[in-house]
Amino acid sequence: MEFIKPRIYSGLRDRLPEQMNYRGLVVSKLQALFERYGFEPLETPAMEFYDILTGKYGEEAENLIYRLDYKDGKTLALRYDLTVPLSRVIAMNSELVRPIFKRYQIQQVWRGERPQRGRYREFTQCDIDAIGSKSMLQDAEIIAAIYEMMISFGFHQFEILINNRKILDGMVKYAEVGDKLKEICRSIDKLEKIGQEKVRQELAKSDISDQAIKKIFSIVEIEGHHEAVLSDLEKAIGGIAQEGVNELREIRSYLSELGIDEGYYRFDPALARGLDYYTGPVFEVVIKDASIGSVVGGGRWDTLIGQYTGKHIPAVGTSFGLERLIDSMEKLNLLPQITTKTQVLVVPFNTELIPQSLRFLAQLRSAGVNSEIYGEPKSFRQTFGYANRKGIPLALVIAPDELSNGQLAIRNMRTREQEVCSIDCFIDNIQAILSKI
RNA sequence: GUGGAUGUAGCUCAGGGGUAGAGCGCCUGACUGUGGAUCAGGUGGUCGUGGGUUCAAAUCCCAUCAUCCACCCCA
């Protein structure tokens, strides 16, 4: 018999039970948070028509789209993100926007990149977006949700970086290199990573004059407290980027009303973001010491929906990278210990006592206590070892001596304390102990 | 897509042309009425896959796949 070697495409992975447990935990927490903010669920198909996705992300990103040519002559593609499919949904169902539509979506996306840790060819995005409002209130709410999510997962060493495409546009106009926006963004985005000298070299390589580089740096290197950054920006390029600065200022005031700790966000004029469809505020979360790239990214995308219908519908949203979130939590030891759902292990002292043990087991289960039986009693070492490894908190020992007195032994696996109680009330006893654990 | 490193037991890794190794885990016993310790014994591997060189390949060569790292980009 000829075997086919079991294998899996590079960058894809199976999600085994342990992993699924963590994912389930994180996803349900995210879902609850999204719903607390008024977002409603949506799913879209994994495949879209190829031309629905093209012309939205930018040339480089577009090269990473998995394209599928099917025999019926249709050209399809695996979705690259959840934002573009959403914009297609809105273009087809504009009645959803009355006057705003807030949706969340947790689904896989595919990108043909070379995989690394925290970078997969299939990964899960958890998106929230608010459609139909150009108010900065929506942007602030998105940032607030990001903040709350990071805190509630136990992250402390993180920063939400915020900038505005309108400020970048202004900067480019100011430096008088209007046609080089993308090259400039790509270089300055790396400022923190590779340092200013290398960024200078890169810019020079892109045929940007020394004078222009100087101007760019005078903007990009602005730093300090929130209001100081904004007023410095205003002084430098207020004339051409006033709107961008005003928007950030408005966001800041909303964030403070929403009670967001201002130590966790920062206005960073060097933040660029790669995707073409952003038009206004952009944001990104970087976890310090996790070295895993950005975990959350987003921004305002006011013109995307209009590309399908010509109807201008503004929108803003963000995307959480589920795998990166979990990888970072694992690295920083923030994942909760996932223990078994079993509450009681029924332990027959010997095989003769199995029938009787089964009756106790059935009683436990009908009382709503999650219970299992260790079926082949050999040694207590083995039996208790099993309970211990699995994290089962209680053992109900059915043994001859106690039984002859009409009693059962309940052992607390953590404290190693064991008590006997009468058969009539062992369920009450167990439930009492469980409620205290 | 470009460059580099790695692939040996369930896990972490050593070995470097001539019988496949350690630690941890797991199983068993000391301990037939009580688990995380200790001690003793045991289980476990086509050395990623395919081909080549050789009397002989886990070892050398080529290819391939996978993982990691940097670039690129991003979640």
Side-chain angles (χ1 to χ4, degrees), chain A residues 39 146 170 226 230 278 296 416:
Chain A
F39 294 94
I146 295 172
H226 309 75
L230 295 181
Y278 292 123
V296 180
R416 300 185 175 217

Side-chain angles (χ1 to χ4, degrees), chain A residues 375-390:
Chain A
E376 295 171 49
K378 278 186 187 165
S379 64
F380 282 105
R381 175 201 180 101
Q382 199 184 47
T383 312
F384 288 145
Y386 171 77
N388 199 33
R389 266 194 304 280
K390 201 165 166 179

Side-chain angles (χ1 to χ4, degrees), chain A residues 183-250:
Chain A
E183 289 92 326
I184 293 170
C185 284
R186 207 179 306 139
S187 296
I188 63 168
D189 208 32
K190 289 186 264 183
L191 185 59
E192 208 139 320
K193 200 168 161 191
I194 64 175
Q196 62 151 283
E197 201 37 54
K198 288 199 172 161
V199 172
R200 242 175 245 279
Q201 287 167 16
E202 267 197 40
L203 288 172
K205 246 184 236 164
S206 308
D207 283 329
I208 292 161
S209 71
D210 286 355
Q211 204 194 357
I213 292 177
K214 219 169 159 187
K215 283 182 165 176
I216 290 167
F217 266 87
S218 75
I219 304 300
V220 152
E221 289 195 313
I222 290 175
E223 54 182 16
H225 195 65
H226 309 75
E227 188 48 46
V229 171
L230 295 181
S231 60
D232 283 358
L233 280 171
E234 206 160 30
K235 267 178 236 153
I237 49 173
I240 30 186
Q242 190 61 49
E243 199 182 329
V245 175
N246 288 348
E247 286 177 355
L248 295 191
R249 192 168 275 141
E250 197 179 342

Side-chain angles (χ1 to χ4, degrees), chain A residues 38 53 71-72 77-78 99 110 129 157 180 186 192 212 230 250 258 284-285 289 298 301 349 364 366 405 412-413 432:
Chain A
L53 303 188
K71 59 189 174 190
D72 64 0
L78 292 174
W110 294 268
D129 288 272
Q157 297 287 98
K180 296 257 167 70
R186 207 179 306 139
E192 208 139 320
L230 295 181
E250 197 179 342
L258 285 166
E284 177 171 312
V285 174
D289 307 323
W301 43 284
F349 185 79
L364 280 169
S366 63
N405 294 329
N412 184 321
M413 293 303 295

